[in-house]
Amino acid sequence: MNTICKFFFLAVTILAMISCEESKSPPDQPVNLRTEYLRNPIGLDNPFPAFSWEVNDQTRGAAQSAYRILVASSLEKLDSNEGDIWDSGKITSDQSHLVGWQGSELTSRQVCYWKVMTYDQVGQPSVYSQPASFEMGLLERSDWKAKWIGIDETGKPPRSVMFRKEFTAGNEVKKARIYITGLGTYLLYVNGNKVGDDLLAPGWTDYRKKVQYQVYDVTDFVITGENAIGVVLGNMWWSSGLGWQGGVAYSQGPLRFIAQLEIETGDGKAEVFSDESWKGSHSPYVENTIYDGVTFDARLVQKGWDLPGFDDSKWRSVADLDMSGIRMVAQQEPPIRIVSVVEPVSITEPVEGNYVFDFGINMVGYGKLKVQAPRGTRIQLKYAELLHPNGTVAQENLRSAKVIDDYICSGEGMEEFEPHFTYHGFQYVEVSGLPSKPDKETLKALVFNSAVESAGTFSCSKEILNSIQANIWRGQRSNLMSVPTDCPQRDERLGWMGDAQIFGPTSCYNMDMARFYKKWMRDILDSQDEKEGFVYDVNPAIVVGGPSKPAWGDAVIVIPWIVYKFYGDKSIIEENYDGMKRWVEYMHGNSTDNLYTWSNEDSTWFGYGDWVPVERSPSKPISQAYYYYSTKLLAEMAKIIGKSEDGKELSDRLPAIKDAFNKAYYIKDSASYVGGTQTANLIPVAFGLTEEQFTETVMNSVVENVKAHDNHLTTGFLGTPLLLPMLSDFGHHEIAYASAVQTTYPSWGYMVEKGATTIWELWNSDTERPEGMNSRNHFAYGSVGEWYYGYLAGIRPDVNNPGFKRIIIRPMPAGDLISAKASVMTPYGKVLSDWELKDGSFILSVTIPANTTAEIHLPLKEGSKVMEGESEIYSGGKLTRGKEFFKLTSATDSEVVLETVSGNYLFVVR
């Protein structure tokens, strides 16, 4: 926001306080304290963490004018207001999100307690917040005394193994922390107790460069006297085999882990490390891969193996496995956890003895089996998204992935089974081998994903849009599996860049994606080509070679821009800037006459282009449009982080690229770009490549194309997120809405009408051949969700005041829509836009959280008046009341725009 606006809001807020009451009550204590986006984390590895909180003041116009942070080494000192680690003093600032650490550099294992007080807009302090805490991880490689260990054997893929170690703890266990990671993935037990609720830890990174470690508080599990630790390892991303046919792996094994347990007792400190003193054995997981599934033989379970006193004399010695070239970093993204348990909606028996469990929705996770059967009974769980006409599960679209879990019973009473070292995308599970007819307790679906928090909600009076939004949300959740995957079911499940960058804005409306994307950016740059600077189509890089194709590689630029816009987090730009610049310079170096040429032996193919569209667009112009777009975005980001010379140099390139593009591809006579498709014309206008005098005519070409297709889209992955917003921005909102609510092919509503519960990969997944590339759970076409939130409900971030520090509220009714409601949890609190058309009036309820401001657009008709609460505030082109809260920015016959301060508002336009 510019300086004039800031002075305006300060002035009107003070006036509001004076006019409303002689003395304002002080703000309540700040809430929702977070360190590096986390609540009370343990295992941070940033020695200069950032703090965030929400100003807790419901007064209209509430804002923070200053803050004070105290950080102490104990709760007792913090309670006494002694900031022995850091006392910021009173800092005059309205910043309450990502406030940088200014104390001394933090050290490994350091435990800190902190609280904050805020000062309101007239200088009154709150009381201090409730205390929060954070604990540092192991910041130096030298902090690790443990060794990477495993059983030195071969196998393709390696057989699952388990390890154990007994130890003695002294009296009065005060604190116990275990630092652990494994390759591939691990399960951890202390004294028979499973530690943590994370699944598929340590998550997926470029294992050639880096692996994450986790930190667990095991104080309640360690006892005085004899104890035991147990670890089970499976393959997953590291050694299962990835990609088509599952033939590529980071390693052929052996499986390995490293663990370091540190205990504080009344007798002093004790440490237990993974080293050659541990013992190992094969586990009951006789087979396990990410695509094919798990075979678990319960007859091989060694009871008590993770308890003290177990006889491990027949277990094998372990080997020290050198991993000195691999960096270990603390958990960077939300861990994978179970988010729901789903019961079957029906159970059928299409073939005698084969029971099909229908869980009602497409989901990701695996089945949890509960069964009692004779010893040696083999029960098979076969997963699928679809059914054959005869009611059995259809796996043709899974390609080479078998997607089967087998359980061999021990015969010892009621048994339960989870196939831990895999995951599946499915709606149906066909179960064979059961000794009797099942019921709904026999099999339940455990749904899991990277446990990002929900952030947004959207609903409206048009039920087809609500159904599509539900499908978008499920599809997003399904494909957050340590990285943003394309699909969760077939022999792929890779971190495709193009899919993620187009879905990025929608994903940030739906869920709190900041940490997830910050971690994934590190994966992208870990895999970046060291010599030439290009990035790869999938990240962590595996299977697909480089250089990345246009629009896919450009995610390295687009994702940081989206995170900055939605969360106001400059650190993602600062941390990755050099790598981002190398990608842009790679494109610059491979340009001829200012047109980027993707490096490929086949000069007729310029990458994936507008992937799987209804009407194909030329790929070559798309590749060169993205060259312009990435250069443009990087120029902006360079300026944001103070690299003004870089920003100028990059900006100076843009006119020549733009001119070359238009000379090569714009056809003036037809007011259209080469190809003439919706996507071919949308991309240049959206990216700013089209000369201003031609933008309206080019968009008219898009409109005519949409009309010619009976208000249907023809776009693929790249054009789809642009179509409806661009139509709305250029005055064709009714056509956008007509396209959005279609239920005939091709449309989002068509998927719903055909029974979809997630977004499909193809507009015609129902009629396309079932085998091959045909996923029923892809988030890419869900990019329309951005239009739901930002246009129908009207909540938008302001890139000039990012992270929703200034909020744009611009609801846009259309067609037969009579209401829409959206909320978004921002770094400052919840934003709400809730409107309805009633008795000829437009009624809008708005919540603008404390310490933010807003620009509110209200639709008008000729002669309209605007009420706020019971008072008229606007009529005849002028503000009539409320000048202590509102500033009239602009007014036309169709819209009035108001600047306003934080608070709850109810506007009525009559």
mmCIF file of all heavy atoms in Angstrom, residues 457-460 465 509 733 785-796 808-814 817 819-824 831-835 842 844-846 857:
data_model
loop_
_atom_site.group_PDB
_atom_site.id
_atom_site.type_symbol
_atom_site.label_atom_id
_atom_site.label_comp_id
_atom_site.label_asym_id
_atom_site.label_seq_id
_atom_site.Cartn_x
_atom_site.Cartn_y
_atom_site.Cartn_z
ATOM 1 N N THR A 457 -12.775 -22.463 2.534
ATOM 2 C CA THR A 457 -14.045 -23.128 2.240
ATOM 3 C C THR A 457 -14.769 -22.320 1.172
ATOM 4 O O THR A 457 -14.662 -21.085 1.132
ATOM 5 C CB THR A 457 -14.939 -23.223 3.483
ATOM 6 O OG1 THR A 457 -15.256 -21.895 3.950
ATOM 7 C CG2 THR A 457 -14.251 -23.993 4.601
ATOM 8 N N PHE A 458 -15.489 -23.002 0.322
ATOM 9 C CA PHE A 458 -16.313 -22.335 -0.687
ATOM 10 C C PHE A 458 -17.616 -23.096 -0.832
ATOM 11 O O PHE A 458 -17.631 -24.332 -0.888
ATOM 12 C CB PHE A 458 -15.605 -22.286 -2.043
ATOM 13 C CG PHE A 458 -16.504 -21.808 -3.160
ATOM 14 C CD1 PHE A 458 -16.671 -20.459 -3.390
ATOM 15 C CD2 PHE A 458 -17.228 -22.717 -3.932
ATOM 16 C CE1 PHE A 458 -17.536 -20.010 -4.377
ATOM 17 C CE2 PHE A 458 -18.090 -22.284 -4.929
ATOM 18 C CZ PHE A 458 -18.241 -20.918 -5.156
ATOM 19 N N SER A 459 -18.712 -22.358 -0.917
ATOM 20 C CA SER A 459 -20.002 -22.958 -1.222
ATOM 21 C C SER A 459 -20.860 -21.891 -1.889
ATOM 22 O O SER A 459 -20.614 -20.691 -1.754
ATOM 23 C CB SER A 459 -20.692 -23.489 0.042
ATOM 24 O OG SER A 459 -20.941 -22.426 0.952
ATOM 25 N N CYS A 460 -21.881 -22.342 -2.605
ATOM 26 C CA CYS A 460 -22.743 -21.394 -3.300
ATOM 27 C C CYS A 460 -24.102 -22.038 -3.549
ATOM 28 O O CYS A 460 -24.337 -23.204 -3.198
ATOM 29 C CB CYS A 460 -22.110 -20.930 -4.608
ATOM 30 S SG CYS A 460 -21.987 -22.223 -5.862
ATOM 31 N N LEU A 465 -21.544 -26.599 -8.724
ATOM 32 C CA LEU A 465 -20.261 -25.988 -8.359
ATOM 33 C C LEU A 465 -19.774 -26.502 -7.010
ATOM 34 O O LEU A 465 -18.574 -26.690 -6.806
ATOM 35 C CB LEU A 465 -20.387 -24.465 -8.345
ATOM 36 C CG LEU A 465 -20.738 -23.809 -9.683
ATOM 37 C CD1 LEU A 465 -20.816 -22.292 -9.525
ATOM 38 C CD2 LEU A 465 -19.721 -24.173 -10.759
ATOM 39 N N TYR A 509 -5.641 -21.437 -1.785
ATOM 40 C CA TYR A 509 -6.956 -21.091 -1.238
ATOM 41 C C TYR A 509 -7.478 -22.231 -0.369
ATOM 42 O O TYR A 509 -8.019 -22.005 0.714
ATOM 43 C CB TYR A 509 -7.953 -20.842 -2.374
ATOM 44 C CG TYR A 509 -7.971 -19.441 -2.938
ATOM 45 C CD1 TYR A 509 -7.684 -19.215 -4.283
ATOM 46 C CD2 TYR A 509 -8.312 -18.346 -2.139
ATOM 47 C CE1 TYR A 509 -7.733 -17.931 -4.819
ATOM 48 C CE2 TYR A 509 -8.367 -17.069 -2.666
ATOM 49 C CZ TYR A 509 -8.072 -16.858 -4.005
ATOM 50 O OH TYR A 509 -8.131 -15.589 -4.532
ATOM 51 N N HIS A 733 -18.155 -12.031 -17.827
ATOM 52 C CA HIS A 733 -18.359 -12.882 -16.653
ATOM 53 C C HIS A 733 -19.536 -13.837 -16.841
ATOM 54 O O HIS A 733 -19.496 -14.984 -16.370
ATOM 55 C CB HIS A 733 -18.586 -12.002 -15.424
ATOM 56 C CG HIS A 733 -18.659 -12.745 -14.133
ATOM 57 N ND1 HIS A 733 -17.657 -13.573 -13.690
ATOM 58 C CD2 HIS A 733 -19.633 -12.796 -13.176
ATOM 59 C CE1 HIS A 733 -17.987 -14.096 -12.520
ATOM 60 N NE2 HIS A 733 -19.190 -13.644 -12.189
ATOM 61 N N GLY A 785 -10.744 -23.778 -9.279
ATOM 62 C CA GLY A 785 -11.084 -23.363 -7.921
ATOM 63 C C GLY A 785 -10.664 -21.945 -7.606
ATOM 64 O O GLY A 785 -11.310 -21.257 -6.797
ATOM 65 N N GLU A 786 -9.591 -21.473 -8.214
ATOM 66 C CA GLU A 786 -9.154 -20.095 -8.004
ATOM 67 C C GLU A 786 -10.269 -19.117 -8.401
ATOM 68 O O GLU A 786 -10.470 -18.084 -7.754
ATOM 69 C CB GLU A 786 -7.890 -19.822 -8.821
ATOM 70 C CG GLU A 786 -7.385 -18.394 -8.713
ATOM 71 C CD GLU A 786 -6.205 -18.110 -9.630
ATOM 72 O OE1 GLU A 786 -5.900 -18.970 -10.507
ATOM 73 O OE2 GLU A 786 -5.592 -17.043 -9.490
ATOM 74 N N TRP A 787 -10.992 -19.426 -9.463
ATOM 75 C CA TRP A 787 -12.080 -18.567 -9.925
ATOM 76 C C TRP A 787 -13.243 -18.604 -8.942
ATOM 77 O O TRP A 787 -13.896 -17.587 -8.712
ATOM 78 C CB TRP A 787 -12.509 -19.025 -11.318
ATOM 79 C CG TRP A 787 -13.537 -18.182 -11.989
ATOM 80 C CD1 TRP A 787 -13.372 -16.964 -12.594
ATOM 81 C CD2 TRP A 787 -14.927 -18.514 -12.139
ATOM 82 N NE1 TRP A 787 -14.557 -16.523 -13.113
ATOM 83 C CE2 TRP A 787 -15.534 -17.456 -12.858
ATOM 84 C CE3 TRP A 787 -15.714 -19.598 -11.750
ATOM 85 C CZ2 TRP A 787 -16.883 -17.445 -13.181
ATOM 86 C CZ3 TRP A 787 -17.058 -19.604 -12.075
ATOM 87 C CH2 TRP A 787 -17.633 -18.528 -12.780
ATOM 88 N N TYR A 788 -13.512 -19.744 -8.344
ATOM 89 C CA TYR A 788 -14.581 -19.822 -7.348
ATOM 90 C C TYR A 788 -14.317 -18.853 -6.187
ATOM 91 O O TYR A 788 -15.186 -18.080 -5.792
ATOM 92 C CB TYR A 788 -14.698 -21.236 -6.776
ATOM 93 C CG TYR A 788 -15.140 -22.315 -7.731
ATOM 94 C CD1 TYR A 788 -15.187 -23.641 -7.316
ATOM 95 C CD2 TYR A 788 -15.516 -22.038 -9.038
ATOM 96 C CE1 TYR A 788 -15.593 -24.652 -8.163
ATOM 97 C CE2 TYR A 788 -15.926 -23.045 -9.895
ATOM 98 C CZ TYR A 788 -15.950 -24.347 -9.455
ATOM 99 O OH TYR A 788 -16.350 -25.342 -10.304
ATOM 100 N N TYR A 789 -13.113 -18.961 -5.632
ATOM 101 C CA TYR A 789 -12.765 -18.126 -4.477
ATOM 102 C C TYR A 789 -12.610 -16.656 -4.867
ATOM 103 O O TYR A 789 -13.124 -15.768 -4.185
ATOM 104 C CB TYR A 789 -11.446 -18.591 -3.872
ATOM 105 C CG TYR A 789 -11.523 -19.812 -2.984
ATOM 106 C CD1 TYR A 789 -11.215 -21.074 -3.479
ATOM 107 C CD2 TYR A 789 -11.861 -19.699 -1.642
ATOM 108 C CE1 TYR A 789 -11.250 -22.194 -2.669
ATOM 109 C CE2 TYR A 789 -11.895 -20.815 -0.813
ATOM 110 C CZ TYR A 789 -11.592 -22.064 -1.334
ATOM 111 O OH TYR A 789 -11.622 -23.168 -0.516
ATOM 112 N N GLY A 790 -11.866 -16.415 -5.951
ATOM 113 C CA GLY A 790 -11.453 -15.060 -6.274
ATOM 114 C C GLY A 790 -12.464 -14.252 -7.056
ATOM 115 O O GLY A 790 -12.397 -13.012 -7.049
ATOM 116 N N TYR A 791 -13.405 -14.903 -7.727
ATOM 117 C CA TYR A 791 -14.363 -14.200 -8.566
ATOM 118 C C TYR A 791 -15.794 -14.382 -8.070
ATOM 119 O O TYR A 791 -16.478 -13.403 -7.782
ATOM 120 C CB TYR A 791 -14.224 -14.646 -10.022
ATOM 121 C CG TYR A 791 -12.943 -14.130 -10.647
ATOM 122 C CD1 TYR A 791 -11.712 -14.738 -10.374
ATOM 123 C CD2 TYR A 791 -12.949 -13.023 -11.480
ATOM 124 C CE1 TYR A 791 -10.540 -14.253 -10.923
ATOM 125 C CE2 TYR A 791 -11.779 -12.526 -12.045
ATOM 126 C CZ TYR A 791 -10.569 -13.147 -11.759
ATOM 127 O OH TYR A 791 -9.412 -12.651 -12.291
ATOM 128 N N LEU A 792 -16.260 -15.612 -7.956
ATOM 129 C CA LEU A 792 -17.631 -15.802 -7.490
ATOM 130 C C LEU A 792 -17.794 -15.289 -6.061
ATOM 131 O O LEU A 792 -18.694 -14.492 -5.777
ATOM 132 C CB LEU A 792 -18.034 -17.266 -7.583
ATOM 133 C CG LEU A 792 -18.134 -17.852 -8.994
ATOM 134 C CD1 LEU A 792 -18.663 -19.277 -8.931
ATOM 135 C CD2 LEU A 792 -19.006 -16.997 -9.905
ATOM 136 N N ALA A 793 -16.937 -15.742 -5.139
ATOM 137 C CA ALA A 793 -17.002 -15.247 -3.760
ATOM 138 C C ALA A 793 -16.239 -13.939 -3.609
ATOM 139 O O ALA A 793 -16.609 -13.088 -2.806
ATOM 140 C CB ALA A 793 -16.462 -16.292 -2.793
ATOM 141 N N GLY A 794 -15.147 -13.792 -4.369
ATOM 142 C CA GLY A 794 -14.490 -12.494 -4.459
ATOM 143 C C GLY A 794 -13.366 -12.219 -3.488
ATOM 144 O O GLY A 794 -13.057 -11.058 -3.214
ATOM 145 N N ILE A 795 -12.691 -13.248 -2.965
ATOM 146 C CA ILE A 795 -11.555 -13.024 -2.061
ATOM 147 C C ILE A 795 -10.266 -13.163 -2.861
ATOM 148 O O ILE A 795 -9.987 -14.229 -3.418
ATOM 149 C CB ILE A 795 -11.552 -14.029 -0.895
ATOM 150 C CG1 ILE A 795 -12.832 -13.881 -0.067
ATOM 151 C CG2 ILE A 795 -10.315 -13.829 -0.018
ATOM 152 C CD1 ILE A 795 -12.966 -14.918 1.043
ATOM 153 N N ARG A 796 -9.465 -12.094 -2.886
ATOM 154 C CA ARG A 796 -8.226 -12.125 -3.652
ATOM 155 C C ARG A 796 -7.095 -11.499 -2.850
ATOM 156 O O ARG A 796 -7.291 -10.488 -2.159
ATOM 157 C CB ARG A 796 -8.366 -11.352 -4.966
ATOM 158 C CG ARG A 796 -9.535 -11.756 -5.820
ATOM 159 C CD ARG A 796 -9.536 -11.017 -7.143
ATOM 160 N NE ARG A 796 -10.853 -11.059 -7.775
ATOM 161 C CZ ARG A 796 -11.150 -10.477 -8.930
ATOM 162 N NH1 ARG A 796 -10.209 -9.796 -9.570
ATOM 163 N NH2 ARG A 796 -12.373 -10.556 -9.433
ATOM 164 N N ILE A 808 -8.434 -7.935 -1.201
ATOM 165 C CA ILE A 808 -9.389 -7.463 -2.199
ATOM 166 C C ILE A 808 -10.640 -8.333 -2.100
ATOM 167 O O ILE A 808 -10.559 -9.560 -2.194
ATOM 168 C CB ILE A 808 -8.794 -7.526 -3.608
ATOM 169 C CG1 ILE A 808 -7.563 -6.604 -3.704
ATOM 170 C CG2 ILE A 808 -9.832 -7.125 -4.653
ATOM 171 C CD1 ILE A 808 -6.774 -6.753 -4.982
ATOM 172 N N ILE A 809 -11.770 -7.681 -1.876
ATOM 173 C CA ILE A 809 -13.066 -8.360 -1.842
ATOM 174 C C ILE A 809 -13.859 -7.867 -3.055
ATOM 175 O O ILE A 809 -14.253 -6.694 -3.123
ATOM 176 C CB ILE A 809 -13.845 -8.060 -0.550
ATOM 177 C CG1 ILE A 809 -13.024 -8.460 0.689
ATOM 178 C CG2 ILE A 809 -15.202 -8.748 -0.568
ATOM 179 C CD1 ILE A 809 -12.851 -9.939 0.883
ATOM 180 N N ARG A 810 -14.064 -8.769 -4.015
ATOM 181 C CA ARG A 810 -14.770 -8.370 -5.237
ATOM 182 C C ARG A 810 -15.698 -9.491 -5.695
ATOM 183 O O ARG A 810 -15.423 -10.190 -6.671
ATOM 184 C CB ARG A 810 -13.777 -8.014 -6.337
ATOM 185 C CG ARG A 810 -14.436 -7.328 -7.524
ATOM 186 C CD ARG A 810 -13.433 -6.901 -8.569
ATOM 187 N NE ARG A 810 -14.084 -6.097 -9.597
ATOM 188 C CZ ARG A 810 -13.454 -5.578 -10.650
ATOM 189 N NH1 ARG A 810 -12.148 -5.781 -10.810
ATOM 190 N NH2 ARG A 810 -14.119 -4.853 -11.528
ATOM 191 N N PRO A 811 -16.814 -9.682 -5.018
ATOM 192 C CA PRO A 811 -17.749 -10.736 -5.418
ATOM 193 C C PRO A 811 -18.400 -10.396 -6.749
ATOM 194 O O PRO A 811 -18.686 -9.232 -7.041
ATOM 195 C CB PRO A 811 -18.764 -10.750 -4.281
ATOM 196 C CG PRO A 811 -18.697 -9.376 -3.687
ATOM 197 C CD PRO A 811 -17.280 -8.934 -3.840
ATOM 198 N N MET A 812 -18.667 -11.427 -7.542
ATOM 199 C CA MET A 812 -19.216 -11.225 -8.882
ATOM 200 C C MET A 812 -20.388 -12.173 -9.116
ATOM 201 O O MET A 812 -20.219 -13.305 -9.577
ATOM 202 C CB MET A 812 -18.124 -11.436 -9.935
ATOM 203 C CG MET A 812 -16.960 -10.458 -9.808
ATOM 204 S SD MET A 812 -15.656 -10.705 -11.055
ATOM 205 C CE MET A 812 -16.502 -10.143 -12.533
ATOM 206 N N PRO A 813 -21.607 -11.736 -8.801
ATOM 207 C CA PRO A 813 -22.779 -12.553 -9.121
ATOM 208 C C PRO A 813 -22.874 -12.789 -10.621
ATOM 209 O O PRO A 813 -22.366 -12.006 -11.423
ATOM 210 C CB PRO A 813 -23.946 -11.692 -8.624
ATOM 211 C CG PRO A 813 -23.343 -10.739 -7.642
ATOM 212 C CD PRO A 813 -21.960 -10.475 -8.141
ATOM 213 N N ALA A 814 -23.554 -13.874 -10.976
ATOM 214 C CA ALA A 814 -23.720 -14.186 -12.401
ATOM 215 C C ALA A 814 -24.872 -15.157 -12.572
ATOM 216 O O ALA A 814 -25.178 -15.959 -11.672
ATOM 217 C CB ALA A 814 -22.445 -14.792 -12.970
ATOM 218 N N LEU A 817 -27.002 -17.639 -10.160
ATOM 219 C CA LEU A 817 -26.365 -17.757 -8.844
ATOM 220 C C LEU A 817 -26.974 -16.719 -7.908
ATOM 221 O O LEU A 817 -26.952 -15.519 -8.205
ATOM 222 C CB LEU A 817 -24.858 -17.529 -8.979
ATOM 223 C CG LEU A 817 -23.976 -17.945 -7.798
ATOM 224 C CD1 LEU A 817 -23.982 -19.457 -7.638
ATOM 225 C CD2 LEU A 817 -22.547 -17.449 -7.997
ATOM 226 N N SER A 819 -26.278 -16.874 -4.359
ATOM 227 C CA SER A 819 -25.437 -16.702 -3.173
ATOM 228 C C SER A 819 -24.116 -17.412 -3.379
ATOM 229 O O SER A 819 -24.014 -18.382 -4.145
ATOM 230 C CB SER A 819 -26.124 -17.252 -1.912
ATOM 231 O OG SER A 819 -26.249 -18.664 -1.967
ATOM 232 N N ALA A 820 -23.101 -16.906 -2.688
ATOM 233 C CA ALA A 820 -21.788 -17.555 -2.649
ATOM 234 C C ALA A 820 -21.101 -17.149 -1.363
ATOM 235 O O ALA A 820 -21.264 -16.012 -0.883
ATOM 236 C CB ALA A 820 -20.940 -17.176 -3.861
ATOM 237 N N LYS A 821 -20.347 -18.076 -0.822
ATOM 238 C CA LYS A 821 -19.671 -17.833 0.451
ATOM 239 C C LYS A 821 -18.305 -18.497 0.422
ATOM 240 O O LYS A 821 -18.181 -19.654 0.027
ATOM 241 C CB LYS A 821 -20.493 -18.405 1.610
ATOM 242 C CG LYS A 821 -19.860 -18.264 2.980
ATOM 243 C CD LYS A 821 -20.769 -18.875 4.048
ATOM 244 C CE LYS A 821 -20.180 -18.745 5.443
ATOM 245 N NZ LYS A 821 -21.065 -19.333 6.479
ATOM 246 N N ALA A 822 -17.291 -17.742 0.834
ATOM 247 C CA ALA A 822 -15.951 -18.318 0.946
ATOM 248 C C ALA A 822 -15.270 -17.738 2.169
ATOM 249 O O ALA A 822 -15.520 -16.591 2.569
ATOM 250 C CB ALA A 822 -15.123 -18.031 -0.304
ATOM 251 N N SER A 823 -14.417 -18.535 2.755
ATOM 252 C CA SER A 823 -13.554 -18.060 3.834
ATOM 253 C C SER A 823 -12.148 -18.574 3.561
ATOM 254 O O SER A 823 -11.975 -19.644 2.965
ATOM 255 C CB SER A 823 -14.043 -18.540 5.200
ATOM 256 O OG SER A 823 -13.939 -19.955 5.301
ATOM 257 N N VAL A 824 -11.163 -17.809 3.981
ATOM 258 C CA VAL A 824 -9.770 -18.190 3.822
ATOM 259 C C VAL A 824 -9.033 -17.838 5.106
ATOM 260 O O VAL A 824 -9.097 -16.686 5.569
ATOM 261 C CB VAL A 824 -9.102 -17.465 2.627
ATOM 262 C CG1 VAL A 824 -7.636 -17.867 2.518
ATOM 263 C CG2 VAL A 824 -9.841 -17.772 1.329
ATOM 264 N N VAL A 831 -10.567 -14.505 6.696
ATOM 265 C CA VAL A 831 -11.272 -13.577 5.818
ATOM 266 C C VAL A 831 -12.560 -14.261 5.371
ATOM 267 O O VAL A 831 -12.551 -15.438 5.009
ATOM 268 C CB VAL A 831 -10.423 -13.211 4.589
ATOM 269 C CG1 VAL A 831 -11.228 -12.343 3.620
ATOM 270 C CG2 VAL A 831 -9.151 -12.491 5.007
ATOM 271 N N LEU A 832 -13.649 -13.502 5.382
ATOM 272 C CA LEU A 832 -14.940 -14.050 4.975
ATOM 273 C C LEU A 832 -15.582 -13.124 3.954
ATOM 274 O O LEU A 832 -15.580 -11.894 4.125
ATOM 275 C CB LEU A 832 -15.870 -14.182 6.183
ATOM 276 C CG LEU A 832 -17.337 -14.552 5.883
ATOM 277 C CD1 LEU A 832 -17.437 -15.993 5.413
ATOM 278 C CD2 LEU A 832 -18.210 -14.313 7.104
ATOM 279 N N SER A 833 -16.135 -13.712 2.901
ATOM 280 C CA SER A 833 -16.989 -12.999 1.961
ATOM 281 C C SER A 833 -18.223 -13.868 1.732
ATOM 282 O O SER A 833 -18.108 -14.987 1.236
ATOM 283 C CB SER A 833 -16.266 -12.730 0.641
ATOM 284 O OG SER A 833 -17.138 -12.141 -0.307
ATOM 285 N N ASP A 834 -19.382 -13.342 2.087
ATOM 286 C CA ASP A 834 -20.608 -14.131 2.067
ATOM 287 C C ASP A 834 -21.719 -13.242 1.517
ATOM 288 O O ASP A 834 -22.141 -12.291 2.179
ATOM 289 C CB ASP A 834 -20.933 -14.595 3.493
ATOM 290 C CG ASP A 834 -22.205 -15.437 3.575
ATOM 291 O OD1 ASP A 834 -22.826 -15.696 2.529
ATOM 292 O OD2 ASP A 834 -22.571 -15.822 4.701
ATOM 293 N N TRP A 835 -22.155 -13.520 0.286
ATOM 294 C CA TRP A 835 -23.167 -12.654 -0.312
ATOM 295 C C TRP A 835 -24.399 -13.438 -0.754
ATOM 296 O O TRP A 835 -24.334 -14.639 -1.010
ATOM 297 C CB TRP A 835 -22.601 -11.854 -1.489
ATOM 298 C CG TRP A 835 -22.167 -12.660 -2.692
ATOM 299 C CD1 TRP A 835 -20.905 -13.068 -2.991
ATOM 300 C CD2 TRP A 835 -23.004 -13.114 -3.771
ATOM 301 N NE1 TRP A 835 -20.886 -13.766 -4.176
ATOM 302 C CE2 TRP A 835 -22.160 -13.807 -4.686
ATOM 303 C CE3 TRP A 835 -24.363 -13.024 -4.058
ATOM 304 C CZ2 TRP A 835 -22.642 -14.389 -5.859
ATOM 305 C CZ3 TRP A 835 -24.851 -13.616 -5.224
ATOM 306 C CH2 TRP A 835 -23.993 -14.274 -6.107
ATOM 307 N N PHE A 842 -28.550 -6.683 -2.963
ATOM 308 C CA PHE A 842 -27.308 -7.451 -2.861
ATOM 309 C C PHE A 842 -26.803 -7.281 -1.437
ATOM 310 O O PHE A 842 -26.543 -6.158 -0.986
ATOM 311 C CB PHE A 842 -26.275 -6.925 -3.855
ATOM 312 C CG PHE A 842 -24.914 -7.555 -3.709
ATOM 313 C CD1 PHE A 842 -24.637 -8.795 -4.271
ATOM 314 C CD2 PHE A 842 -23.911 -6.916 -2.990
ATOM 315 C CE1 PHE A 842 -23.393 -9.383 -4.133
ATOM 316 C CE2 PHE A 842 -22.659 -7.490 -2.841
ATOM 317 C CZ PHE A 842 -22.398 -8.722 -3.414
ATOM 318 N N LEU A 844 -23.976 -8.358 1.427
ATOM 319 C CA LEU A 844 -22.616 -8.897 1.552
ATOM 320 C C LEU A 844 -22.140 -8.787 2.992
ATOM 321 O O LEU A 844 -22.078 -7.690 3.563
ATOM 322 C CB LEU A 844 -21.658 -8.122 0.641
ATOM 323 C CG LEU A 844 -20.159 -8.451 0.788
ATOM 324 C CD1 LEU A 844 -19.870 -9.882 0.354
ATOM 325 C CD2 LEU A 844 -19.313 -7.463 -0.022
ATOM 326 N N SER A 845 -21.803 -9.935 3.565
ATOM 327 C CA SER A 845 -21.181 -9.974 4.888
ATOM 328 C C SER A 845 -19.686 -10.206 4.704
ATOM 329 O O SER A 845 -19.280 -11.131 3.987
ATOM 330 C CB SER A 845 -21.795 -11.104 5.724
ATOM 331 O OG SER A 845 -21.174 -11.193 6.990
ATOM 332 N N VAL A 846 -18.886 -9.373 5.352
ATOM 333 C CA VAL A 846 -17.436 -9.412 5.169
ATOM 334 C C VAL A 846 -16.751 -9.399 6.521
ATOM 335 O O VAL A 846 -17.153 -8.653 7.425
ATOM 336 C CB VAL A 846 -16.951 -8.196 4.342
ATOM 337 C CG1 VAL A 846 -15.430 -8.172 4.257
ATOM 338 C CG2 VAL A 846 -17.544 -8.214 2.952
ATOM 339 N N HIS A 857 -15.254 -4.135 -3.375
ATOM 340 C CA HIS A 857 -16.001 -3.781 -4.576
ATOM 341 C C HIS A 857 -17.443 -4.221 -4.397
ATOM 342 O O HIS A 857 -17.717 -5.394 -4.128
ATOM 343 C CB HIS A 857 -15.419 -4.488 -5.797
ATOM 344 C CG HIS A 857 -14.006 -4.099 -6.119
ATOM 345 N ND1 HIS A 857 -13.651 -3.487 -7.307
ATOM 346 C CD2 HIS A 857 -12.854 -4.238 -5.417
ATOM 347 C CE1 HIS A 857 -12.349 -3.270 -7.322
ATOM 348 N NE2 HIS A 857 -11.841 -3.716 -6.187
#
